[in-house]
């Protein structure tokens, strides 16, 4: 089976590549990334340059995991990073190719969550561009299609390991360091997370299984077992304090979860004139996560995440072991907020 995998240097793509390697002679995998570092990888800047000649052949499966997940992208940046790249990959797929397209669970445009007016029902340019990319593959690919929708991706369910500490790990670091005085969101809201190994397992199972007769969607989520935002903060705090206690370091306090209306109506206007540059950057970071910590209902999974609290604990420990200097920091509280 000849498989083309894009984004092999990313968080999900690298895990997919590792799992595909376990099938040995059953698969012939060609991986694509901007900066190849393995023999099986080919360099290609998707959407910005033509596909290399060696990629212009029949593929049994194309796994498209390359994407920019940056929430602060402008619309033009999001189109270039996610829509144009999807269009470029589809040029390599024919009617007999099973396309496995990695999207996000947040393309649903769920009611009740904060949105950016520029993107209509979506929270940011990333979500909007992933929804546009889904439209592209649905309308332009004539063959079998599987769309995989994970939520926020953390480390492996077994040990918390992950290829890159980005995205939601910035929230962990800010809570531990005290740079974020609080988490802005609904304490009783839901936050959906998934382990990177389960995301990869769903992708690999789709790639190696019987192609669907048409188009199918796989949503990875905990559903009714989803964490509440207040529970997420408690798990992060408890886990990091266990790690710190093992090393004789004082615990960090439990950060409050402040509803968005209170934050923007009282706390932020009161403190803004007194913010340092570092604190201002922390406020900007808080704003990126705000719409993900105010979700009113969990997703409906087709592939269920069974232990999100355990997954989060493993991931926080991995982060602490990997970033001990950050994990050992003594948080500096914002006295104005604390008062």
């Amino acid at each position: 089976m000849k498989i083309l995998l894009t984004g092999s240097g990313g968080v999900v793509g690298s895990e997919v590549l590792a799992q595909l390697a376990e099938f040995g002679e059953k698969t012939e995998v060609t991986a694509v990334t901007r900066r190849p570092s393995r023999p099986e990888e080919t360099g290609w800047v998707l959407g910005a340059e033509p596909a290399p000649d060696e990629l212009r052949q029949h593929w049994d499966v194309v796994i498209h995991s390359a994407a920019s997940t940056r929430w602060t992208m402008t619309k033009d940046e999001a189109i270039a990073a996610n829509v144009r790249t999807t269009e470029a990959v589809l040029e390599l797929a024919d009617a007999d190719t099973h396309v496995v397209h990695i999207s996000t669970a947040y393309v649903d445009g769920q009611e009740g969550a904060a949105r950016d007016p520029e993107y209509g029902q979506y929270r940011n340019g990333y979500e909007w561009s992933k929804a546009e990319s889904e439209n592209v593959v649905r309308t332009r690919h004539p063959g079998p299609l599987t769309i995989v929708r994970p939520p926020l991706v953390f480390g492996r369910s077994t040990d918390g390991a992950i290829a890159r500490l980005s995205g939601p790990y910035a929230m962990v670091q800010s809570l531990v360091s005290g740079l974020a005085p609080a988490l802005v969101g609904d304490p009783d809201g839901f936050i959906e997370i998934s382990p990177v190994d389960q995301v990869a397992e769903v992708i690999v199972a789709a790639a190696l299984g019987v192609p669907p007769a048409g188009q199918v969607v796989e949503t990875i989520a905990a559903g009714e077992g989803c964490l509440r935002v207040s529970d997420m903060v408690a798990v992060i705090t408890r886990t990091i304090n266990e790690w710190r206690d093992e090393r004789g370091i004082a615990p960090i306090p439990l950060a409050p979860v402040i509803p968005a209306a209170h934050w923007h109506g009282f706390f932020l206007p009161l403190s803004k004139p007194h913010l340092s540059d570092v604190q201002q950057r922390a406020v900007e970071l808080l704003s990126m996560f705000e719409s993900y910590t105010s979700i009113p209902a969990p997703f409906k999974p087709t592939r269920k995440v069974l232990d999100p609290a355990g997954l989060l604990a493993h991931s926080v420990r991995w982060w602490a072991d990997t970033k001990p200097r950050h994990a050992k920091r003594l948080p500096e509280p914002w006295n104005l907020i604390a008062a």
Side-chain angles (χ1 to χ4, degrees):
M1 177 181 289
K2 298 182 68 174
I3 299 175
L4 176 65
L5 167 66
T6 70
S8 59
V11 167
V12 172
S14 59
E15 188 74 16
V16 170
L17 186 61
Q19 291 192 17
L20 285 172
E22 297 176 5
F23 290 90
E25 296 180 355
K26 293 181 179 180
T27 60
E28 180 184 339
V29 180
T30 298
V32 168
T33 184
R34 283 176 174 264
R35 291 176 288 275
S37 59
R38 305 176 180 93
E40 65 270 30
E41 289 180 325
T42 297
W44 179 25
V45 183
L46 280 76
E49 58 188 33
D53 290 340
E54 62 265 32
L55 300 183
R56 296 185 179 278
Q57 56 178 291
H58 168 71
W59 300 98
D60 298 307
V61 179
V62 169
I63 302 173
H64 181 41
S65 74
S68 173
T69 59
R70 186 163 55 89
W71 296 338
T72 56
M73 288 186 289
T74 66
K75 184 169 284 189
D76 286 343
E77 289 172 335
I79 290 171
N82 293 332
V83 181
R84 296 290 176 256
T85 55
T86 301
E87 292 172 340
V89 169
L90 287 181
E91 293 180 3
L92 303 178
D94 56 44
D96 294 322
T97 302
H98 178 194
V99 171
V100 182
H101 177 74
I102 317 311
S103 185
T104 173
Y106 298 98
V107 297
D108 68 325
Q110 194 174 52
E111 292 293 333
R115 294 176 176 81
D116 186 328
E118 182 178 7
Y119 301 111
Q121 69 190 82
Y122 301 105
R123 302 169 182 87
N124 50 51
Y126 164 65
E127 289 184 10
W128 174 84
S129 64
K130 294 304 285 185
E132 289 295 305
S133 297
E134 281 200 16
N135 290 334
V136 167
V137 294
R138 286 181 185 278
T139 57
R140 299 192 187 182
H141 180 55
L145 171 65
T146 299
I147 295 174
V148 179
R149 293 177 173 176
L152 296 177
V153 178
F154 278 86
R156 292 181 193 137
S157 56
T158 52
D159 57 8
I162 194 167
R164 187 180 305 156
L165 292 168
S166 58
Y169 288 91
M171 175 175 59
V172 175
Q173 181 169 323
S174 294
L175 289 174
V176 172
S177 67
L179 285 177
L183 188 67
V184 180
D186 179 359
D188 292 324
F190 296 91
I191 186 158
E192 288 276 18
I193 65 175
S194 59
V196 68
D197 55 330
Q198 183 178 6
V199 176
E201 286 168 5
V202 172
I203 294 167
V204 170
L208 301 184
V210 177
Q215 302 178 355
V216 299
V217 175
E218 296 280 15
T219 300
I220 304 167
E224 69 275 9
C226 181
L227 285 172
R228 301 277 184 170
V229 172
S230 56
D231 294 332
M232 177 196 69
V233 175
V235 170
I236 292 173
T237 305
R238 181 175 66 250
T239 304
I240 200 65
N241 281 340
E242 290 172 354
W243 186 92
R244 290 166 71 97
D245 183 64
E246 292 165 5
R247 291 155 180 81
I249 305 170
I252 64 170
L254 181 68
V257 181
I258 300 176
H262 295 174
W263 173 254
H264 293 287
F266 175 71
F267 288 107
L268 186 56
L270 181 66
S271 61
K272 198 166 187 177
H274 311 287
L275 295 179
S276 67
D277 290 342
V278 172
Q279 290 171 329
Q280 182 61 48
R281 288 195 293 272
V283 167
E284 293 171 358
L285 177 66
L286 281 171
S287 68
M288 287 194 298
F289 286 98
E290 183 178 329
S291 61
Y292 293 91
T293 53
S294 303
I295 295 175
F299 299 128
K300 296 180 180 179
T302 61
R303 302 297 182 103
K304 191 170 183 180
V305 176
L306 296 178
D307 183 17
L311 151 66
L312 183 59
H314 284 314
S315 297
V316 171
R317 273 200 167 266
W318 176 270
W319 172 84
D321 288 338
T322 306
K323 301 281 188 178
R325 182 172 63 86
H326 295 291
K328 292 178 180 179
R329 282 189 60 173
L330 296 176
E332 301 176 7
W334 288 23
N335 292 328
L336 185 62
I337 297 296

